[in-house]
């Protein structure tokens, strides 16, 4: 249970802080953009519940940081009716139950994340990164449900993209979820107020979908510092870049190695195949893996990179045309992959992949373009040969490309290689207008 823990008389605290800065009410009004009348009302105690945005503006104008800022916000909140609502809300925090379909694969990732969250000392900021549609949200949901089943820590699920908004003109008291979303990506720094509410209570905060919004890293770091029992698990296209962050780059689902289509039972267990078959079942009810279609299914999973969102799109296309037609189209012209993935609902899968590439710092983007020259999978030494970069330079850049989910590790006959996702090759080639070979000429795309 989360409770605010401090006493405070906001009218006195505000006055003391103003005098400490040597400001008149008029000067504080000018600095904070709050009316002088509102400041007078707060100092006289006529306003019992200052809005959080107001408190944040005052704290900024008074140059309060760290503990002083927390104490200031706490004094305001203790008198605020918002507090009751937020505390009540926080007491019924639960795991979201938005999933009714089973998770395919991801055993290792689940174990790794739950292990890090349970370890002592705990990992307090963990970011699952990767391209859009790879399954970051789905994995985080599973983690939240597992944590919920195994511990009594309150959980808070913050869907950033959905809760974002300018809350200052909104007269309704914000929920804890909105306050947390505002802290991470919004305009006002609410870390002091949230720290006042959460205090030393344990809480795991899932922040989902930090994609195109800049993160208020200092505010998040302050919250983690002031609330020693808070842990944050975020999903984002790129790492947040916050000190102490642990990044888990999420690769797409495993796809069949060439030759694995021989054994139908084991082929059906490979996560990308298993997800594709599950998604095909409602749209092509009679479809079964058999020796005649095994290499098509395996090839399709490889063309689609084992990317869950792309597999889902391919399956939904099968409402309109049989799987072999789609496969032929994808093999015939790589641009058909582009056409297929452009149908992803908002935010569009392809557009998101483009953003992952276009927002890369220039040297890494240049490297990615040079890597387009290598077909199939390759080793770091191959890449040194093609790019002319030194191994340390190359390794640094490859690390960035991996954390954004643009590259994946491939196992072939017991050896490890690297390859660029087909969808990324498409996007890069599109940006630079480089023609890609037909899929059956490029070993990378569909080894059939
Ligand atoms: N391991 C998985 N098992 C089953 N479905 C998955 C899996 N990973 C992703 N999905 C499904 O694929 C789609 C895209 O996944 P999502 O988690 O939204 O991707 P991201 O958050 O990386 O953009 C969703 O419909 C999701 O339910
Ligand atoms: Mg997501």
């Amino acid at each position: 249970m989360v409770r605010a823990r401090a006493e405070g008389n906001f009218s006195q605290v505000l006055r003391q802080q103003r005098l400490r800065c040597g400001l008149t009410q008029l000067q504080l009004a000018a600095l904070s953009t709050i009316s002088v009348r509102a400041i007078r009302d707060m100092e006289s105690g006529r306003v019992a519940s200052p809005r959080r945005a107001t408190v944040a503006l005052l704290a900024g104008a008074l140059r309060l940081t760290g503990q002083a800022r927390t104490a200031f916000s706490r004094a305001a909140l203790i008198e605020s009716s918002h507090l009751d609502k937020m505390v009540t809300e926080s007491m019924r925090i639960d795991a979201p139950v938005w999933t009714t379909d089973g998770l395919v694969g991801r055993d290792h990732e689940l174990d790794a994340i739950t292990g890090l969250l349970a370890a002592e000392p705990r990992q307090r900021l963990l970011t699952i990164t990767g391209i859009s549609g790879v399954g970051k949200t789905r994995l985080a949901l599973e983690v939240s449900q597992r944590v919920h089943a195994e511990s009594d820590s309150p959980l808070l699920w913050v869907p950033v993209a959905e809760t974002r908004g300018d809350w200052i003109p909104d007269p309704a008291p914000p929920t804890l979820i909105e306050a947390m979303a505002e802290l991470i990506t919004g305009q006002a720094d609410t870390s002091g107020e949230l720290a006042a509410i959460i205090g030393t209570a344990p809480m795991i905060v899932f922040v989902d979908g930090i994609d195109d919004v800049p993160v208020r890293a200092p505010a998040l770091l302050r919250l983690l510092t002031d609330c020693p029992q808070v842990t944050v698990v975020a999903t984002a296209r790129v790492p947040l870049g916050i000190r102490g962050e642990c990044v888990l780059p999420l690769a797409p689902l495993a796809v069949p190695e060439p030759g694995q289509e021989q054994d139908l039972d084991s082929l059906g267990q490979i996560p990308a195949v298993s997800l594709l078959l599950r998604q095909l079942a409602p749209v092509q009810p009679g479809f079964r893996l058999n020796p005649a279609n095994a290499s098509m299914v395996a090839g399709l999973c490889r063309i689609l990179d084992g990317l869950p969102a792309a597999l889902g799109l391919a399956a939904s296309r099968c409402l309109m045309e049989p799987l072999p037609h789609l496969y032929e189209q994808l093999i015939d012209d790589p641009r058909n992959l582009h056409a297929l993935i452009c149908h992803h609902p908002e935010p569009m899968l392809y557009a998101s992949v483009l953003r992952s590439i276009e927002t890369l710092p220039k040297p890494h983007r240049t490297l990615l373009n040079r890597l387009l020259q290598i077909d199939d999978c390759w080793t770091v030494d191959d890449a040194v040969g093609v790019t002319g970069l030194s191994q340390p330079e190359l390794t640094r850049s490859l690390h960035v490309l991996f954390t954004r989910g643009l590259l994946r590790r491939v196992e072939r006959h017991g050896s490890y290689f690297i390859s660029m996702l087909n969808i990324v090759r498409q996007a890069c080639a599109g940006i630079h207008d480089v023609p890609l070979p037909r899929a059956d000429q490029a070993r990378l795309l569909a080894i059939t």
Side-chain angles (χ1 to χ4, degrees), residues 122-391:
R122 259 170 323 123
Q123 178 61 46
R124 297 192 47 222
L125 175 58
L126 194 147
T127 311
I128 304 171
T129 62
I131 63 169
S132 203
V134 75
K136 302 179 295 295
T137 298
R138 184 67 188 83
L139 178 62
L141 278 168
E142 200 73 21
V143 171
S144 76
Q145 284 166 20
R146 203 194 263 198
V147 170
H148 184 59
E150 291 171 8
S151 89
D152 51 9
S153 264
L155 303 181
L156 190 66
W157 183 272
V158 184
V160 170
E162 290 161 35
T163 46
R164 246 186 117 230
D166 182 4
W167 69 356
I168 293 176
D170 181 359
T175 64
L176 194 58
I177 290 175
E178 288 168 336
M180 195 65 81
E182 183 69 16
L183 165 88
I184 292 161
T185 59
Q187 303 298 314
D189 179 354
T190 54
S191 56
E193 293 158 298
L194 280 171
I197 289 174
I198 298 170
T200 55
M203 183 180 292
I204 303 187
V205 183
F206 289 85
V207 186
D208 181 47
I210 306 178
D211 289 335
D212 291 321
V213 282
V215 176
R216 297 179 61 96
L220 183 53
L221 194 56
R222 209 160 26 243
L223 184 79
L224 285 165
T225 311
D226 291 348
C227 303
Q229 302 260 52
V230 165
T231 299
V232 173
V233 178
T235 73
R237 274 213 301 267
V238 301
L240 308 188
I242 293 177
R243 202 169 58 236
E245 175 185 22
C246 170
V247 176
L248 188 140
L250 189 63
L253 296 174
V255 296
E257 276 187 57
Q260 270 191 305
E261 44 269 29
Q262 310 303 335
D263 175 353
L264 290 188
D265 284 343
S266 63
L267 181 63
Q269 304 294 316
I270 296 171
V273 177
S274 163
L275 184 57
L276 180 63
L277 293 178
R278 193 176 79 186
Q279 290 174 325
L280 276 174
V283 285
Q284 291 213 351
F287 189 87
R288 301 274 178 280
L289 257 190
N290 63 38
N293 64 23
S295 63
M296 173 186 71
V297 169
L300 198 59
C301 288
R302 286 193 290 265
I303 292 175
L304 300 173
D305 297 306
L307 198 68
L311 294 167
L313 285 172
S316 68
R317 271 284 282 275
C318 290
L319 264 181
M320 292 160 263
E321 54 187 337
L323 200 59
H325 286 194
L326 177 63
Y327 180 61
E328 284 305 321
Q329 287 167 26
L330 292 175
I331 287 285
D332 200 41
D333 186 344
R335 280 169 304 185
N336 287 331
L337 175 59
H338 170 251
L340 174 74
I341 54 189
C342 278
H343 287 105
H344 189 57
E346 281 296 317
M348 286 201 334
L349 178 58
Y350 191 70
S352 305
V353 174
L354 276 181
R355 293 257 331 136
S356 290
I357 297 170
E358 286 169 349
T359 53
L360 274 171
K362 191 142 190 285
H364 309 313
R365 212 165 56 224
T366 308
L367 172 67
L368 195 67
N369 295 335
R370 292 205 196 147
L371 291 173
L372 261 186
Q373 298 166 30
I374 323 180
D375 269 354
D376 202 8
C377 41
W378 34 271
T379 61
V380 173
D381 286 343
D382 295 336
V384 167
V386 169
T387 62
L389 292 175
S390 70
Q391 222 188 62

Side-chain angles (χ1 to χ4, degrees), residues 104-126:
V104 173
R106 303 302 193 201
D107 297 342
H108 296 311
E109 290 90 344
L110 261 177
D111 287 346
I113 297 174
T114 48
L116 284 164
L117 297 181
E120 278 304 336
R122 259 170 323 123
Q123 178 61 46
R124 297 192 47 222
L125 175 58
L126 194 147

